[in-house]
Amino acid sequence: FSAMCVSIARLVSADAARMHQVERWCFSLPWSEEQCAAALGQESFAAFGVFRGSALAGYISLYHVAREIEILNLAVLPQERRRGHGRRLTRVVLRLARKLGMEKAFLEVRSDNVPAVSLYLACGFRYEGIRRKYYADGTDAHIYVCSLR
């Protein structure tokens, strides 16, 4: 465990390669570097990274439309997990969304992703419904919502 400073910053197009590397470690169907760069260039997309020193340890990405945000991905490198990075990123995004007048946050999570569900419940989300066979492997997605009022 390093005592290196941990910080959170908004990701920009120049961070696409680092974002892609985190994707590759965390997801079975990662976004390509080009997809990361394209998303980071969209006005309605935002991503925030948690950095240990200058290294990207994880990130959270979202779309914001009207008065809602949809959390798309929350990814933390395997060696950086269980250190509060996911909770820190989620809470920063929810706090910022409230400040910007957003009313609701929602997300879909694999029904079998127990650590993620625990994190989202701890951050104020509540179960809203299910999307059957949402993922390519046939796993259901559970929908969670958080009121930001």
Side-chain angles (χ1 to χ4, degrees):
F1 176 61
S2 167
M4 228 186 278
C5 186
V6 173
S7 61
I8 293 179
R10 186 162 182 175
L11 301 182
V12 296
S13 295
D15 295 310
R18 294 196 285 187
M19 183 176 163
H20 169 65
Q21 289 305 316
V22 173
E23 284 266 327
R24 287 184 57 213
W25 276 102
C26 296
F27 301 121
S28 56
L29 294 170
W31 288 6
S32 67
E33 186 176 333
E34 293 76 20
Q35 287 171 309
C36 291
L40 288 165
Q42 291 179 31
E43 195 175 316
S44 62
F45 180 89
F48 296 86
V50 61
F51 293 85
R52 185 180 281 287
S54 63
L56 183 62
Y59 77 90
I60 190 169
S61 63
L62 57 102
Y63 274 118
H64 49 91
V65 180
R67 297 212 171 275
E68 294 182 353
I69 65 167
E70 177 183 6
I71 295 177
L72 303 173
N73 287 327
L74 174 59
V76 177
L77 291 173
Q79 67 272 23
E80 291 287 343
R81 291 181 185 157
R82 315 255 354 122
R83 295 183 178 170
H85 297 324
R87 183 176 304 230
R88 195 173 292 119
L89 284 166
T90 303
R91 288 191 169 150
V92 162
V93 162
L94 295 177
R95 201 164 39 244
L96 182 61
R98 275 187 190 96
K99 279 186 185 171
L100 294 174
M102 301 290 169
E103 295 175 2
K104 180 170 108 174
F106 68 97
L107 56 87
E108 283 124 2
V109 62
R110 292 179 67 91
S111 58
D112 58 1
N113 190 341
V114 175
V117 169
S118 297
L119 167 76
Y120 297 132
L121 290 172
C123 289
F125 283 84
R126 63 177 167 44
Y127 178 80
E128 182 83 0
I130 190 168
R131 294 192 201 283
R132 301 248 178 243
K133 296 182 166 69
Y134 181 78
Y135 294 98
D137 65 1
T139 304
D140 295 337
H142 286 180
I143 304 161
Y144 284 82
V145 175
C146 179
S147 173
L148 300 176
R149 290 187 205 156

